[in-house]
Amino acid sequence: MPVCELCGNDYDKAFEVKMAGKTHIFDSFECAIHALAPACAHCGCKIIGHGIESAGRFFCCAHCAAESGVKGARDRV
Ligand SMILES: [Zn+2]
Ligand SMILES: [Zn+2]
């Protein structure tokens, strides 16, 4: 049985996520997001939408990007 690499849960419906050539195994999206999603450089929350990338930093929304001095950030919809 595959085992979730984050919480170690042994679950028959675990799934694989391929990211940057590396395969990860998780039992739930919660674990996958916790392990793989980038964190907002301003508020620290996990970015599970498109987010905003600026100069190598990730933000969850235009508000956080603007608060951190990114000019002209807009939510991608
Ligand atoms: Zn897990
Ligand atoms: Zn944020």
Side-chain angles (χ1 to χ4, degrees):
M1 283 300 148
V3 173
C4 174
E5 69 175 51
L6 188 78
C7 69
N9 187 22
D10 184 335
Y11 184 45
D12 65 351
K13 289 177 187 62
F15 56 92
E16 292 182 355
V17 176
K18 219 172 221 169
M19 208 170 166
K22 203 173 171 299
T23 303
H24 301 268
I25 296 170
F26 300 105
D27 63 333
S28 67
F29 281 103
E30 188 179 353
C31 287
I33 288 165
H34 193 84
L36 301 179
C40 175
H42 183 68
C43 71
C45 73
K46 288 292 181 183
I47 300 167
I48 56 174
H50 292 293
I52 290 164
E53 190 184 349
S54 173
R57 294 185 302 168
F58 291 93
F59 300 97
C60 65
C61 61
H63 174 78
C64 283
E67 290 281 302
S68 292
V70 176
K71 298 251 181 301
R74 289 244 237 105
D75 280 317
R76 266 192 274 175
V77 288

